[in-house]
Amino acid sequence: MTAAQWQEVLCRVRSLSAADKDRLLTYLHALHDAAQQSQRAESMPNMPKVL
């Protein structure tokens, strides 16, 4: 992303209500946690999957 695009993102985030900011943070934390779990799963040796 360019600096101008990041500036636009920042302006939009600043204009959100407090409740919307809280929801955005919750969403971003969930994405971050999911990405970390995915990385951990990929770095583990092949384990048999339990059905």
Side-chain angles (χ1 to χ4, degrees):
M1 286 181 82
T2 66
Q5 289 170 319
W6 279 115
Q7 187 64 33
E8 177 66 22
V9 169
L10 288 174
C11 289
R12 289 181 185 207
V13 169
R14 287 181 183 135
S15 69
L16 293 174
S17 69
D20 285 341
K21 285 179 184 175
D22 285 343
R23 282 193 284 273
L24 176 60
L25 282 174
T26 299
Y27 175 73
L28 293 174
H29 283 294
L31 284 178
H32 180 261
D33 293 346
Q36 284 186 329
Q37 287 179 345
S38 176
Q39 285 178 342
R40 278 190 226 119
E42 290 173 2
S43 66
M44 293 179 73
N46 288 336
M47 302 283 289
K49 293 183 181 179
V50 177
L51 299 176

